[in-house]
Amino acid sequence: MTKKEIAAAAVQALKELYPDAVCSLEYSDPFQLLVAVRLSAQCTDARVNLVTPALFERYKTISDMAAADVAEVEKYIYSCGFYKSKAKSIVAAAQKILGDFGGRVPDNMEELLTVPGVGRKTANLILGDVYSKPAVVVDTHCIRISNRLGLVKEKDPKKIEFQLKKLLEPSESSDFCHRIVLFGRDICTARSPRCGECPLAGVCKRAGVK
């Protein structure tokens, strides 16, 4: 099978396994998603979802966050780890979006990457989930599973992103990345992949290899 055929098989299998492809972070507007993704660095989505309700209740708008005292924000997000740098970048992001983009989270990669704390992973998530644009979100699960399937032989997230864009149908790419996270948690885990239960074992380069 070609890489494109393997990618198509993976898209179909994961679509059947996880018909509801949704982001596991909870948010109600684009800026909240940006903040939640920033908090999720080196932290579980479950922990972030416990922290953000109080944070978003305290700072209801981008204007509120832009005017926030960084030290106070730190107290709300302390349990997410790296709270000092995260609080600083979240407030700076709000100020940047308010000052340069009229309070609207940008809808293109170039502008999103000018926002403090926003890398390609965050930008792609916003483009796909908020603006319904083709996007490839490369996280640890995506890196691991794409390599196991033989779709890539690469660890660099940006290079993987561009390689997967060539293999995935644009309309499927964003949902595929959400599904691969669920798949990576449930079946294709980092240490003990459950190859015997895997719907992709037939096309996987690493099936059964520990």
Side-chain angles (χ1 to χ4, degrees):
M1 295 180 76
T2 66
K3 289 183 178 181
K4 199 149 191 172
E5 289 171 335
I6 294 172
V11 166
Q12 186 57 40
L14 296 185
K15 188 182 290 188
E16 293 173 4
L17 196 60
Y18 307 104
D20 299 318
V22 294
C23 179
S24 55
L25 293 168
E26 297 171 359
Y27 64 96
S28 60
D29 62 52
F31 183 69
Q32 287 189 359
L33 176 59
L34 187 154
V35 171
V37 179
R38 180 70 185 96
L39 293 177
S40 71
Q42 306 299 313
C43 181
T44 65
D45 290 355
R47 165 56 56 185
V48 173
N49 288 338
L50 289 175
V51 166
T52 50
L55 179 69
F56 296 152
E57 177 62 28
R58 173 65 180 87
Y59 307 103
K60 292 183 171 67
T61 66
I62 291 181
S63 296
D64 292 339
M65 188 64 80
D69 177 65
V70 173
E72 183 180 352
V73 175
E74 289 176 1
K75 295 176 182 178
Y76 281 92
I77 67 172
Y78 177 83
S79 64
C80 289
F82 300 97
Y83 63 96
K84 286 187 177 294
S85 61
K86 289 180 181 180
K88 183 178 179 180
S89 67
I90 287 169
V91 173
Q95 293 169 345
K96 173 74 173 181
I97 293 169
L98 193 65
D100 289 6
F101 305 116
R104 181 178 186 269
V105 174
D107 62 358
N108 63 83
M109 179 65 74
E110 183 179 8
E111 291 181 341
L112 281 167
L113 292 179
T114 68
V115 177
V118 174
R120 297 192 68 87
K121 174 185 170 183
T122 303
N124 274 303
L125 190 59
I126 290 170
L127 292 175
D129 279 33
V130 175
Y131 296 113
S132 300
K133 295 186 175 183
V136 176
V137 180
V138 180
D139 71 343
T140 55
H141 296 291
C142 184
I143 293 170
R144 179 177 72 253
I145 296 166
S146 295
N147 274 276
R148 283 179 176 172
L149 288 172
L151 297 176
V152 301
K153 291 182 179 179
E154 181 63 63
K155 298 296 184 183
D156 179 79
K158 184 176 180 179
K159 291 180 180 178
I160 291 174
E161 176 193 332
F162 282 97
Q163 289 179 33
L164 289 180
K165 280 182 177 179
K166 295 178 181 178
L167 300 175
L168 297 167
E169 290 294 329
S171 61
E172 299 284 0
S173 59
S174 183
D175 286 347
F176 173 76
C177 293
H178 285 315
R179 291 181 174 114
I180 214 167
V181 171
L182 300 173
F183 180 62
R185 290 173 180 166
D186 295 345
I187 296 174
C188 196
T189 56
R191 294 185 179 179
S192 301
R194 294 157 51 195
C195 299
E197 304 170 41
C198 179
L200 294 175
V203 299
C204 182
K205 304 291 185 182
R206 299 285 297 174
V209 180
K210 300 299 184 183

